[in-house]
Amino acid sequence: MFLKTRADGSLLEVLSLKQLADPFAAQVDGRLHAGEELQEQEPFAKADLVFPSGEALPRCWLDPAYHQA
């Protein structure tokens, strides 16, 4: 799955959908897609990511207490 970073709009390939959907995981492992070379895997804060359309990630992916609000 691909997401964008809020800071500069760089395209990010998320390597673990399970980690992305886990509200207890604050980070997700991914690779930036920039240039021609395959980038190294690194952790990214989920709060700094959005869908390619610019829409925010669902609250249930970010907040472990989403159902209590």
Side-chain angles (χ1 to χ4, degrees):
M1 171 180 241
F2 288 94
L3 298 175
K4 284 191 333 185
T5 60
R6 285 186 196 265
D8 61 4
S10 297
L11 198 57
L12 172 76
E13 178 186 6
V14 175
L15 301 176
S16 171
L17 295 180
K18 182 177 180 181
Q19 192 179 30
L20 179 63
D22 181 358
F24 293 98
Q27 296 182 330
V28 64
D29 293 328
R31 285 191 187 112
L32 287 174
H33 278 252
E36 295 180 21
E37 303 262 337
L38 184 62
Q39 304 296 312
E40 293 293 321
Q41 176 180 330
E42 58 184 293
F44 292 87
K46 290 196 299 187
D48 296 337
L49 302 175
V50 294
F51 286 107
S53 65
E55 183 180 355
L57 297 180
R59 186 170 169 212
C60 63
W61 289 3
L62 302 170
D63 182 7
Y66 70 94
H67 60 284
Q68 295 176 355

